[in-house]
Amino acid sequence: MNDTNTNSYEESAKTLSAGSPVLIAIPEHASVDAVAASLGLQGMLTRAGVSAHVVAAGRLSEAAGFLPGVQSVTNSVPEGNLTVSVATTRVPLEELSYEVGEGVVTISLKASGGIFNPSEVSVRSAATEYPVIAVVGARELQDLGALLTSIPNM
């Protein structure tokens, strides 16, 4: 093994130990072996305390239906956190609070000397960034099709 490979392995190990999520991508028409390998990798990472998501570029073969955990495989990159933005140029924010209830989170914003308008509030989903992406069962990255372009920072 040369120094370049050693550095790559060390960087990957450091990233994994930092708890960063891992995306495991499998191509459209993936073999049952590729699906099994991706689920095995996901299980191994999960047991090691690393969040891992398996994403398929297309429908899985019905033959893979017996594999434990196959129902967790999705066809799109999981969305990340929600971001709530409030324009404060017209009315400044005085206080921000939240309450976690049973099955709901309530976010409260108190305006300083005015009232916020609903048009000043926006909600968006921020894509999760995956510093480590494992591709299983693909001969080349193009085998991932449209999934390839939906992966942030790819």
Side-chain angles (χ1 to χ4, degrees):
M1 184 170 8
N2 65 33
D3 289 338
T4 303
N5 287 340
T6 301
N7 290 339
S8 295
Y9 293 133
E10 288 172 359
E11 286 176 31
S12 296
K14 201 179 292 183
T15 300
L16 288 173
S17 67
S20 298
V22 174
L23 184 69
I24 303 166
I26 53 178
E28 189 169 6
H29 309 298
S31 69
V32 175
D33 288 343
V35 177
S38 66
L39 291 170
L41 177 58
Q42 179 187 39
M44 180 191 75
L45 290 167
T46 300
R47 282 190 297 284
V50 176
S51 175
H53 307 280
V54 179
V55 180
R59 279 190 74 215
L60 296 180
S61 164
E62 288 183 19
F66 75 95
L67 294 169
V70 73
Q71 69 280 357
S72 71
V73 178
T74 63
N75 292 106
S76 60
V77 178
E79 294 292 330
N81 302 324
L82 284 179
T83 300
V84 178
S85 300
V86 179
T88 57
T89 52
R90 190 181 60 78
V91 179
L93 177 67
E94 182 177 315
E95 184 180 312
L96 168 71
S97 61
Y98 69 94
E99 182 180 329
V100 179
E102 191 171 321
V104 66
V105 174
T106 303
I107 301 168
S108 300
L109 305 170
K110 183 177 179 183
S112 176
I115 298 173
F116 291 121
N117 292 325
S119 64
E120 296 171 319
V121 179
S122 65
V123 179
R124 66 179 171 81
S125 178
T128 300
E129 291 190 14
Y130 294 94
V132 176
I133 301 170
V135 178
V136 178
R139 289 190 178 100
E140 53 189 36
L141 286 177
Q142 285 71 21
D143 291 345
L144 297 177
L147 180 61
L148 183 64
T149 59
S150 70
I151 299 172
N153 297 329
M154 183 67 166

